[in-house]
Amino acid sequence: MDASLEKKIADPTLAEMGKNLKEAMKMLEDSQRRTEEENGKKLLSGDIPGPLQGSGQDMVSILQLVQNLMHGDEDEQPQSTRIQNIGEQGHISLLGHSLGAYISTLDKEKLRKLTTRILSDTTLWLCRIFRYENGCAYFHEEEREGLAKICRLAIHSRYEDFVVDGFNVLYNRKPVIYLSAAARPGLGQYLCNQLGLPFPCLCRVPCNTVFGSQHQMDVAFLEKLIKDDIERGKLPLLLVANAGTAAVGHTDKIGRLKELCEQYGIWLHVEGVNLATLALGYVSSSVLAATKCGSMTLTPGPWLGLPAVPAVTLYKHDDPALTLVSGLTSNKPADKLRALPLWLSLQYLGLDGIVERIKHACQLSQRLQESLKKVNHIKILVEDELSSPVVVFRFFQELPGSDPGLNAIPAPSAAPSAVGRERHSCDALNRWLGEQLKQLVPMSGLTVMDLEVEGTCVRFSPLMTAAVLGTRGEDVDQLVACVQSKLPVLTCTLQLREEFKQEVEATAGLLYVDDPNWPGIGVVRYEHANDDKSSLKLDPEGEKIHAGLLKKLNELESDLTFKMGPEYKSMKSCIYIGMASDDIDISELVETIAVTAREIEEDSRLLENMTEVVRKGIQEAQVQLQKANEERLLEEGVLRQIPVVGSVLNWFSPVQASQKGRTFNLTAGSLESTEHTYVYKVQGSGVTPPQTPTGTRAKQRLPGQKPFKRSLRGSDAISETSSVSHIEDLEKMEQPSGGQEAAEAKSHERHPGAPAPPEAEPPGALQDGAQGLQDDRPQVEEPESLR
């Protein structure tokens, strides 16, 4: 190329220049290409997140990251959460998910045979264990998903043209799904969202109000609703019954509901925790009737303590096409592999292991029921004590004129306000009791819930928690012991609530705050002078006073706990008084709060006004000093003010000028003359400061007695004779100091302006000191007023 260029260009200089230019352009192009490649790599690496950059990370680093995400940083506080007890059966279940991913890599024919075998085996085992003959199974992660699929199957079964006409068929004859009022929250809304139905398609069936359990579906009212819907041209589609409600574990009358559904052609679906008892030898008739229904949902994961195990919906239907359209069956191997963890776990446990775990949970509930029956002030809300594996109990206090068998429902003669306060008080105490028991016995798996009729209750459902947490019989015994230990605190606090309310309302400056969520004795707020009672906003001055009051109350080292927080209906600060474990003197407590708050308010007001008082006092002192200087100028004359002449005149004729000063009394907030100090050589006392307010009920406490404790009247521990002698000893010990104070008071009455007497000294020292004082002190003529 270069040779041909040299032949074409005769001039060697031009040829050399062309060669050099070509090399330079090549160098520039290579440099530009390298720069673009580097910039492209930087841009690409900048868009990729940090963990994905480079050639990847090793397995140890990835597992370390997962561990940090699971347990958090080391600096964070460890949270007291329930830790699932994962045994060997749990490892088998977790292994099923890994095996499922591995099995999915097999060829299609082997995968089809294996998944079909796993699905058929698991379905057969579950139907035999839970007495559901000739049933099919649908495995799903979300517990409510199976019910949604059953609703689709019911729609396809009752509406033959639904596949062709779609929702036009539903519009002409609207379907109705019946749910119990005691069903799990949000179930109806979930079904409507999954099925695309409007909310009027749901019908809420109330529970019994007169006969039977208050958490069972009212069968007679349900039949009336069905007849009304048929008359309006609607189609009763499906009924959801409960074999163990989500709240208290009550079972509907499934046998009667089954007859009603067969009469009107309604699909019956059953769900609930009591379905687990179908695996036991003895099953109640109400639960056994669920085996004849159209479908039921089981949750073997929490029952058997198996993590990551799907829920199962067993159903009966003869048309495979409709089940396929409804989504209950699938040809995808991945959907069939959902049963693999349960397939492995059931084989590992065996029938004996499955029955043993369910039986153990039922025995725990029966053990707790029998123990709580013997405890006073504890009511158990259980439909059938022999078969229900759920125990719901609450603390209650019988009101005057109430029937203890009716959950302490007050008589009609009781005031409605008193009834409401009693209900709110018991709810707050039960909420406190539940939280305390959860902390003291974490292995019990208790939950606190609010019921519409009974109020706040504590629930023990071992079928859902015992296998997971590893609950034992000793944990139940510890739970009963903790309940018994908390009962004196609950009863004492509930008895003192009304007395505390009356004492606060009768005390000036205090306001009783009715907070239904506070479990303690009560809530009180101090109303200061500038408190705007009509305002609900934050009060800085009141917050400062209550903060100081809280500090003072905690310094008393009493058995009561005090907290400060906003009021229930406003942002104003209040003092919350906790639970009382012993007999408390409410009068002394309320008076201490009022007096202490008043002292804090007066002290804060004095500090706030100090600046203004001092400023005015300085201005007044300046005016008076200027006036005194003018008077001295008139008295001494002008010549004495000249520097040289004034010195000569003062030397020949001294002026006996009186020393006039001013002192500022912070207590009285006024200026006073210092003439009294120069004449009598004593600092004047001025205005006597006001006495600090003290409680009128201040009492002498026995040694070791804590504040706010009532005196032990009539106690066997301290007899009346010993109490009187002890009080006499206290009076004798206080008598010398009291006599000395009386003598000093009498001396001050005789000489108001005289100084305070010196402390007692030995006779010799007293005489020597008096002689020295008589010789050294200047002779001052006694004023005529003292003579």
Side-chain angles (χ1 to χ4, degrees):
M1 189 81 180
D2 296 340
S4 61
L5 181 63
E6 292 177 355
K7 291 180 180 179
K8 291 181 181 179
I9 301 176
D11 191 351
T13 305
L14 292 178
E16 186 69 21
M17 288 178 57
K19 180 180 178 181
N20 295 336
L21 178 61
K22 185 177 180 181
E23 293 179 356
M25 291 298 298
K26 184 178 180 181
M27 293 174 60
L28 291 176
E29 290 176 357
D30 294 342
S31 176
Q32 184 177 2
R33 190 181 301 110
R34 288 194 300 269
T35 304
E36 291 178 355
E37 290 178 357
E38 292 178 359
N39 292 337
K41 291 182 179 180
K42 292 181 179 179
L43 182 62
L44 184 62
S45 62
D47 294 339
I48 298 300
L52 301 183
Q53 293 181 3
S55 58
Q57 303 183 30
D58 57 338
M59 184 61 65
V60 177
S61 301
I62 297 175
L63 294 179
Q64 185 67 33
L65 176 61
V66 174
Q67 180 180 353
N68 295 337
L69 294 176
M70 290 174 56
H71 302 286
D73 298 334
E74 297 180 356
D75 299 337
E76 295 180 358
Q77 293 290 339
Q79 299 179 356
S80 58
T81 56
R82 296 176 182 175
I83 301 177
Q84 184 167 349
N85 184 19
I86 301 178
E88 291 186 7
Q89 72 276 8
H91 290 285
I92 292 293
S93 174
L94 298 178
L95 179 62
H97 293 273
S98 301
L99 284 177
Y102 176 73
I103 292 174
S104 62
T105 60
L106 300 177
D107 59 89
K108 294 183 178 181
E109 186 63 23
K110 291 184 178 180
L111 182 61
R112 184 186 62 81
K113 293 181 179 180
L114 182 58
T115 54
T116 303
R117 169 68 183 274
I118 292 173
L119 182 61
S120 59
D121 287 351
T122 311
T123 302
L124 177 62
W125 298 341
L126 292 174
C127 290
R128 293 290 177 85
I129 292 173
F130 295 100
R131 309 185 184 191
Y132 197 81
E133 298 179 358
N134 300 324
C136 302
Y138 171 67
F139 300 89
H140 46 92
E141 301 297 335
E142 168 65 38
E143 293 184 11
R144 301 171 296 182
E145 183 182 353
L147 177 57
K149 301 293 184 181
I150 292 296
C151 291
R152 292 184 185 274
L153 178 60
I155 292 175
H156 284 284
S157 301
R158 296 300 302 273
Y159 295 92
E160 296 179 358
D161 299 333
F162 180 74
V163 178
V164 179
D165 297 336
F167 285 94
N168 292 328
V169 182
L170 303 181
Y171 178 78
N172 297 329
R173 195 178 183 188
K174 297 180 181 179
V176 182
I177 300 175
Y178 299 93
L179 297 176
S180 172
R184 70 175 80 179
L187 180 60
Q189 183 178 3
Y190 174 81
L191 292 178
C192 289
N193 293 336
Q194 294 295 320
L195 301 174
L197 297 177
F199 289 127
C201 292
L202 295 176
C203 182
R204 186 173 181 267
V205 183
C207 296
N208 296 325
T209 56
V210 179
F211 302 102
S213 171
Q214 297 178 351
H215 300 273
Q216 279 183 340
M217 192 183 301
D218 193 340
V219 181
F221 198 85
L222 172 63
E223 187 175 6
K224 181 178 179 300
L225 291 175
I226 294 174
K227 292 180 179 180
D228 294 342
D229 291 334
I230 294 176
E231 292 178 358
R232 296 171 185 172
K234 297 181 179 181
L235 177 64
L237 181 66
L238 184 138
L239 171 64
V240 181
N242 291 303
T245 57
V248 297
H250 287 194
T251 302
D252 293 328
K253 299 176 181 179
I254 299 177
R256 181 72 181 91
L257 294 176
K258 174 61 178 175
E259 297 176 359
L260 193 64
C261 290
E262 290 179 350
Q263 179 181 353
Y264 292 97
I266 302 175
W267 188 289
L268 178 60
H269 178 84
V270 182
E271 62 180 13
V273 67
N274 292 354
L275 292 175
T277 58
L278 291 172
L280 303 179
Y282 171 79
V283 186
S284 63
S285 59
S286 58
V287 178
L288 187 61
T291 59
K292 305 299 180 182
C293 63
S295 58
M296 63 180 182
T297 299
L298 309 176
T299 55
W303 297 348
L304 306 178
L306 303 175
V309 165
V312 185
T313 297
L314 302 179
Y315 63 95
K316 295 177 182 179
H317 202 271
D318 298 332
D319 192 345
L322 292 182
T323 57
L324 182 62
V325 173
S326 304
L328 289 170
T329 57
S330 175
N331 295 325
K332 297 180 180 180
D335 295 337
K336 297 180 180 180
L337 284 176
R338 292 179 184 172
L340 180 58
L342 192 56
W343 183 74
L344 297 173
S345 301
L346 293 178
Q347 295 183 76
Y348 178 81
L349 293 175
L351 180 61
D352 294 340
I354 295 171
V355 174
E356 179 64 27
R357 279 163 174 76
I358 298 176
K359 185 178 179 180
H360 173 69
C362 295
Q363 291 176 350
L364 291 177
S365 63
Q366 293 177 6
R367 187 170 185 171
L368 181 61
Q369 290 173 16
E370 295 174 358
S371 301
L372 291 180
K373 288 179 185 178
K374 306 174 185 178
V375 181
N376 296 327
H377 304 293
I378 294 294
K379 181 173 180 59
I380 305 176
L381 311 176
V382 180
E383 171 198 4
D384 188 353
E385 298 179 357
L386 297 178
S387 61
S388 178
V390 180
V391 182
V392 180
F393 61 94
R394 76 188 305 265
F395 164 79
F396 76 99
Q397 184 77 17
E398 297 180 9
L399 288 174
S402 63
D403 186 3
L406 296 176
N407 193 24
I409 299 177
S413 59
S417 59
V419 174
R421 286 197 302 269
E422 188 72 17
R423 168 66 181 271
H424 290 314
S425 299
C426 286
D427 288 347
L429 293 177
N430 278 283
R431 194 174 297 109
W432 176 85
L433 175 62
E435 296 298 332
Q436 291 292 317
L437 295 178
K438 288 168 60 177
Q439 296 178 5
L440 295 175
V441 193
M443 303 301 292
S444 61
L446 296 177
T447 55
V448 181
M449 59 182 182
D450 294 326
L451 301 180
E452 184 177 358
V453 178
E454 291 83 0
T456 304
C457 302
V458 183
R459 179 178 60 189
F460 176 67
S461 182
L463 265 175
M464 301 299 293
T465 60
V468 174
L469 300 177
T471 309
R472 301 175 301 174
E474 293 78 4
D475 299 324
V476 175
D477 297 338
Q478 183 184 0
L479 178 61
V480 176
C482 292
V483 171
Q484 294 176 343
S485 65
K486 298 299 180 182
L487 283 180
V489 180
L490 295 171
T491 54
C492 183
T493 302
L494 191 58
Q495 293 173 359
L496 295 176
R497 272 177 170 259
E498 189 64 26
E499 182 182 356
F500 178 78
K501 180 176 181 294
Q502 296 176 0
E503 286 289 339
V504 171
E505 292 177 348
T507 304
L510 296 182
L511 176 65
Y512 178 79
V513 179
D514 190 6
D515 190 346
N517 298 323
W518 178 247
I521 294 179
V523 186
V524 63
R525 178 161 63 88
Y526 177 72
E527 295 181 322
H528 55 89
N530 300 326
D531 189 5
D532 187 3
K533 301 179 179 59
S534 60
S535 176
L536 300 179
K537 297 181 180 180
L538 184 64
D539 183 13
E541 183 177 357
E543 185 176 2
K544 183 179 179 181
I545 294 175
H546 284 89
L549 177 59
L550 177 65
K551 182 179 179 181
K552 293 289 186 181
L553 293 174
N554 289 329
E555 290 176 354
L556 295 178
E557 297 182 357
S558 63
D559 291 337
L560 295 175
T561 57
F562 301 93
K563 296 181 180 179
M564 188 183 76
E567 190 180 341
Y568 176 63
K569 297 181 180 180
S570 70
M571 297 300 295
K572 296 184 177 180
S573 299
C574 301
I575 296 297
Y576 290 78
I577 304 172
M579 309 289 289
S581 59
D582 201 353
D583 197 8
I584 301 297
D585 192 344
I586 296 297
S587 301
E588 182 186 357
L589 172 63
V590 174
E591 188 174 4
T592 302
I593 294 175
V595 171
T596 307
R598 196 177 302 117
E599 292 177 0
I600 296 174
E601 181 186 10
E602 292 177 356
D603 294 343
S604 62
R605 190 177 302 161
L606 177 62
L607 293 176
E608 291 175 359
N609 297 335
M610 186 67 67
T611 304
E612 184 66 19
V613 171
V614 172
R615 186 181 63 82
K616 292 181 178 179
I618 292 174
Q619 293 178 355
E620 184 179 356
Q622 290 177 350
V623 173
Q624 293 185 9
L625 290 176
Q626 184 177 1
K627 184 178 180 181
N629 290 333
E630 294 177 355
E631 293 177 355
R632 185 171 61 85
L633 180 61
L634 294 176
E635 180 182 355
E636 297 178 358
V638 181
L639 294 177
R640 293 184 182 271
Q641 309 304 320
I642 301 174
V644 179
V645 178
S647 301
V648 175
L649 289 176
N650 290 333
W651 184 73
F652 282 104
S653 176
V655 177
Q656 300 294 331
S658 60
Q659 297 179 357
K660 296 181 180 180
R662 296 293 184 269
T663 179
F664 184 72
N665 193 336
L666 293 177
T667 305
S670 60
L671 286 174
E672 298 177 0
S673 176
T674 58
E675 183 179 0
H676 183 275
T677 303
Y678 287 107
V679 173
Y680 299 106
K681 308 298 183 182
V682 175
Q683 182 74 31
S685 60
V687 180
T688 304
Q691 295 182 357
T692 303
T694 57
T696 57
R697 292 177 52 86
K699 64 179 183 180
Q700 293 179 345
R701 297 191 182 92
L702 298 176
Q705 182 179 1
K706 293 187 176 182
F708 313 132
K709 291 288 186 180
R710 294 186 188 272
S711 58
L712 301 176
R713 297 176 181 176
S715 174
D716 297 336
I718 302 178
S719 62
E720 184 178 358
T721 306
S722 61
S723 301
V724 173
S725 62
H726 182 74
I727 295 175
E728 291 178 354
D729 294 339
L730 291 176
E731 293 178 352
K732 290 180 181 180
M733 294 174 62
E734 295 177 356
Q735 186 174 1
S737 60
Q740 183 178 357
E741 292 176 358
E744 292 178 359
K746 188 173 182 181
S747 174
H748 280 286
E749 291 178 359
R750 189 179 299 113
H751 299 287
E759 297 180 359
E761 294 182 4
L766 181 62
Q767 293 178 1
D768 297 340
Q771 183 67 27
L773 180 62
Q774 184 176 3
D775 296 338
D776 297 337
R777 66 180 181 181
Q779 299 295 329
V780 181
E781 185 179 359
E782 185 178 9
E784 187 176 359
S785 60
L786 295 179
R787 296 177 184 174

